[in-house]
Amino acid sequence: MKLDPTRRRVLELIAHRDPPTDLKKASIACGKNHAYLHQFVHRGTPRKLPEDVRHLLAGHLGVDESELRDGAPPKVVSSGARQATEMTTRRAVTYARALTIDNDPAVAAVPEVHIIASAGGGSLMDQEQRGENWYFPVSWLHHELHADADNLRIISIDGDSMEPILEAGDKILVDTSRKAPSPPGIFVLFDGMGLVAKQLEPVPNTEPARVLIRSANARYQDYERTVDEVSIIGRVVWFARRV
């Protein structure tokens, strides 16, 4: 997409802001989801920035809002008008800074944990959570995924045993509160050998209770474990893939 002057100006101001910012942080500062400005700049949605977003973004970037107005050159203002503009900008900055994940009920942070859920040979699980946060609308988490953000983690897929459903490099959203393999689904689990992402389903009428562990890729054989032999981390409820 060819960028118009307004979109180029947004990227320029973000690149040179001190302290540093990016499209994600600027989107949150405007009270929007983390992808809002990326979609505006690179996908043309929305076509124009709404007035309230324009003022908040200008405050976050420390410029007059006229610099972000389509087709309009920056305003030349008198000292009195400049004072009024600066006051408006300060208010916008204060409001933008207040819009953090902690006190904005519309958006929730989900940490990306730096462990590998292997869809191949397996790998040992590192419990440390030290990845960047992903941001999701709370209403979407509740209504679409029936999930609470506190129970969610983002993990990367490694291996090919779940192709074509999941591919190496995919990011999966794991609900750690959902550990029962009923109904059957895709789970992240430690199977005694390593951390894997597999299709799980209970084996009926077994004592002790057993689970069937399946791969989507026909090159890999199914196998069973007793419930006590596996540790289910959570159910996969969503994934993202680079195109």
Side-chain angles (χ1 to χ4, degrees):
M1 173 181 172
K2 185 177 180 180
L3 301 184
D4 59 30
T6 299
R7 287 170 170 81
R8 288 200 302 270
R9 184 60 175 152
V10 168
L11 290 178
E12 180 180 292
L13 290 169
I14 285 177
H16 293 92
R17 183 180 185 268
D18 186 20
T21 190
D22 54 31
L23 288 173
K24 180 193 296 184
K25 293 177 183 176
S27 296
I28 299 299
C30 294
K32 300 296 184 179
N33 69 66
H34 70 282
Y36 182 86
L37 287 176
H38 183 277
Q39 293 174 341
F40 168 71
V41 171
H42 298 292
R43 298 185 181 179
T45 303
R47 189 172 64 84
K48 294 183 178 181
L49 287 175
E51 183 177 0
D52 59 333
V53 174
R54 192 173 68 245
H55 278 272
L56 288 171
L57 181 57
H60 179 68
L61 298 176
V63 299
D64 187 277
E65 62 85 21
S66 64
E67 293 198 39
L68 305 177
R69 192 182 303 166
D70 285 355
K75 289 180 178 179
V76 177
V77 296
S78 65
S79 58
R82 184 177 296 108
Q83 290 177 355
T85 298
E86 290 174 352
M87 183 177 297
T88 300
T89 300
R90 285 197 298 271
R91 289 173 179 169
V93 170
T94 301
Y95 177 63
R97 287 175 178 168
L99 285 173
T100 66
I101 290 302
D102 292 332
N103 61 19
D104 183 356
V107 180
V110 174
E112 179 174 353
V113 294
H114 286 185
I115 61 177
I116 299 297
S118 177
S123 61
L124 294 178
M125 181 176 179
D126 177 4
Q127 294 278 1
E128 184 180 0
Q129 299 174 7
R130 57 184 186 273
E132 292 186 358
N133 288 336
W134 290 49
Y135 298 95
F136 297 90
V138 171
S139 59
W140 181 78
L141 293 178
H142 287 172
H143 297 135
E144 294 295 328
L145 303 183
H146 308 290
D148 188 320
D150 291 340
N151 299 322
L152 298 174
R153 299 292 183 270
I154 296 281
I155 300 176
S156 295
I157 284 290
D158 182 29
D160 63 356
S161 75
M162 287 303 295
E163 291 182 355
I165 299 174
L166 297 175
E167 299 178 358
D170 287 354
K171 304 290 186 179
I172 56 175
L173 188 59
V174 181
D175 188 341
T176 61
S177 71
R178 302 169 67 181
K179 301 179 185 291
S182 181
I186 301 176
F187 291 80
V188 174
L189 68 146
F190 185 78
D191 66 354
M193 298 285 291
L195 193 73
V196 295
K198 298 288 185 182
Q199 294 174 323
L200 285 188
E201 61 181 89
V203 180
N205 304 318
T206 53
E207 183 61 40
R210 301 178 69 84
V211 290
L212 178 62
I213 304 174
R214 295 181 180 273
S215 300
N217 190 331
R219 292 176 50 233
Y220 292 81
Q221 293 184 343
D222 301 342
Y223 57 101
E224 293 185 10
R225 293 285 188 272
T226 66
V227 171
D228 292 338
E229 290 175 327
V230 300
S231 177
I232 298 177
I233 308 304
R235 181 184 288 264
V236 177
V237 295
W238 178 86
F239 81 95
R241 175 177 300 160
R242 182 175 179 176
V243 297

